Amino acid sequence: MSKKQKTVAVHAGSRLTGSKAVPVMPPIFPAAVNWFDSSDDLSDALDGKDYAYARISAPNAALLEEAVAALEGAEACVAYASGMAALRSLFDAQPWKAGDVLVMPTDGYGVTRALYKNLCARWGVELRPLDQTSPDAPARIREWRPRLVLAESISNPLLRVPDIRALAQACKDAGAVFAVDATFPSPVGQRSLELGADYAVQSTSKWLNGHSDALGGTVSGSKARIDPLRSARILSGDVLGPFEAWLTLRGLRTLPVRMKAHNEHAAHVARRLSDSPLLERVIYPGLASHPDHAVAARVLEGGFGPMVAFEIKGAGQKEGDRFLEALRVARPGPSLGDVGTLVMHAASASARRMTPEERAQAGIRDSLIRVSVGLEDPDDVADDLLAAVAKGAGR
């Protein structure tokens, strides 16, 4: 995280009009329709030069897009009603033909996999899951020559960290479009475009919003790549509402400060968990035991991320349920990025839409727990998790 990002987060996306009075926090513009005194002005607005109809463009979403683009180091950004809508837009933007290949991480988010699996089947496209942290991953991409490659900066839920720069070069060599879902580290933890990605994707419902009160998603990149997505969104209608955009922009103002604390707390919790004899393993990119620790040190900024995962010895669904019910500080919740710690049983939440065979291939066991570490005292979080592990394990 650069010092400049703190200033960008506070000030980007603040001024909407040429008025000399600029609100410290932009107001909410709930109007879906605007009218104009001049037919020429209305025509210009319908061409996207002003705000005529909220499905075409709207003030609050535009301000959020400006702020996210600034944080990502992008020329442009387009906002959607959810992170999944953003990922769908990337698929729809490709000129698919039967026999084309789409590559995504073997251990990636189960809902993304379900979405792309469905779309690939419909279009006759081959979906190829790939361990993108494997040394031969770049060679596979060059060999397969896919149309689109999706990576996750930190995979969900196993927290693997691929070398984005190496994958980007392989995609360039293969003529593939390269998109990176950088939701877990946020733009503060990784500016994927600077590492060679064509698109940077965020589920703004998570860290950018930071308070679990608004869904949303963004795709950032060059103006040449984003303009067609913006035009397609006018037809699809996957627009972000004004209240959600306003809440997300408000949360974004404190993103660098929050992420610094989230990262520090996650590192502390991971170290505490590592001492427990009831855990099979603790997964955190900041631990020397993590297989991608050296890569993470190169491609992540400001820390090793706000997420921790672990496996409870001998646990299955039953023990996982007991663990979740025993929590007192952390909250069982199927999301992440809140000010409070959120915990989930991976196989029944993020990987719920994967088949047992797909989970086995990815290495997602029934004993896996994923933790989005919040802003509580980290020792309180660690104590709560360890006490719940003991109860879940029947100790």
Side-chain angles (χ1 to χ4, degrees):
M1 175 178 65
S2 68
K3 293 180 179 179
K4 183 178 179 181
Q5 278 189 303
K6 293 181 181 179
T7 304
V8 168
V10 172
H11 293 294
S14 295
R15 184 188 293 268
L16 185 65
T17 68
S19 170
K20 293 181 180 179
V22 182
V24 172
M25 185 62 194
I28 300 172
F29 297 86
V33 183
N34 297 287
W35 63 275
F36 298 81
D37 291 317
S38 160
S39 295
D40 288 340
D41 290 342
L42 173 58
S43 180
D44 286 343
L46 290 170
D47 284 335
K49 298 175 183 177
D50 206 335
Y51 304 105
Y53 186 53
R55 180 168 50 79
I56 300 172
S57 61
N60 292 108
L63 291 170
L64 176 63
E65 289 167 350
E66 178 186 330
V68 174
L71 284 174
E72 294 278 19
E75 289 182 347
C77 170
V78 58
Y80 295 88
S82 69
M84 294 309 299
L87 288 165
R88 171 64 190 263
S89 76
L90 289 180
F91 185 94
D92 290 344
Q94 309 311 314
W96 298 106
K97 62 181 186 298
D100 280 346
V101 173
L102 186 157
V103 173
M104 68 171 296
T106 303
D107 60 330
Y109 182 35
V111 180
T112 303
R113 183 166 179 154
L115 171 68
Y116 282 173
K117 186 178 178 181
N118 179 281
L119 293 172
C120 285
R122 191 182 307 173
W123 285 86
V125 173
E126 184 180 353
L127 177 63
R128 294 190 183 179
L130 175 66
D131 177 359
Q132 296 178 354
T133 63
S134 170
D136 64 354
R140 295 286 78 76
I141 290 172
R142 292 184 178 95
E143 175 189 345
W144 294 343
R145 301 192 69 79
R147 175 78 65 183
L148 173 67
V149 175
L150 174 71
E152 293 179 355
S153 297
I154 304 174
S155 73
N156 182 7
L158 285 170
L159 311 186
R160 297 301 303 269
V161 183
D163 187 336
I164 296 298
R165 196 182 296 279
L167 295 180
Q169 184 59 55
C171 288
K172 183 177 179 180
D173 295 342
V177 172
F178 185 38
V180 177
D181 184 337
T183 295
F184 272 22
S186 87
V188 170
Q190 184 180 93
R191 285 158 59 110
S192 309
L193 300 173
E194 293 181 355
L195 297 177
D198 297 309
Y199 295 106
V201 182
Q202 297 289 334
S203 172
T204 61
S205 320
K206 311 306 191 296
W207 303 108
L208 271 76
N209 168 265
H211 297 80
S212 297
D213 55 13
L215 293 178
T218 57
V219 181
S220 302
S222 67
K223 187 175 184 300
R225 290 191 181 277
I226 296 302
D227 281 351
L229 296 184
R230 193 181 307 282
S231 297
R233 188 192 60 181
I234 294 173
L235 301 180
S236 71
D238 291 324
V239 296
L240 183 65
F243 294 96
E244 290 79 9
W246 186 88
L247 285 167
T248 303
L249 184 59
R250 183 181 66 169
L252 181 149
R253 297 303 185 205
T254 59
L255 178 66
V257 177
R258 285 187 288 106
M259 293 308 290
K260 182 176 185 295
H262 283 298
N263 284 346
E264 290 173 353
H265 290 193
H268 183 84
V269 169
R271 288 192 294 269
R272 286 282 312 276
L273 294 176
S274 296
D275 294 331
S276 173
L278 299 179
L279 298 181
E280 189 71 35
R281 61 171 176 158
V282 176
I283 307 168
Y284 182 65
L287 296 175
S289 58
H290 192 283
D292 310 318
H293 177 68
V295 172
R298 293 200 309 271
V299 302
L300 300 178
E301 300 180 52
F304 291 93
M307 306 294 296
V308 177
F310 57 85
E311 291 180 342
I312 303 173
K313 283 184 179 178
Q317 179 74 55
K318 180 180 174 182
E319 290 78 12
D321 289 344
R322 283 207 306 257
F323 162 79
L324 293 176
E325 291 167 358
L327 293 169
R328 295 294 176 263
V329 175
R331 298 160 180 164
S335 191
L336 58 117
D338 190 71
V339 292
T341 298
L342 293 175
V343 184
M344 51 151 246
H345 178 246
S348 58
S350 69
R352 189 183 191 91
R353 295 185 181 273
M354 298 172 71
T355 66
E357 293 75 21
E358 288 170 342
R359 289 198 295 270
Q361 181 189 27
I364 300 171
R365 302 173 184 172
D366 286 344
S367 57
L368 182 66
I369 303 294
R370 191 194 74 184
V371 183
S372 167
V373 181
L375 299 182
E376 306 97 338
D377 184 289
D379 280 316
D380 287 344
V381 174
D383 288 343
D384 187 42
L385 293 173
L386 290 168
V389 165
K391 289 184 179 179
R395 298 293 182 88

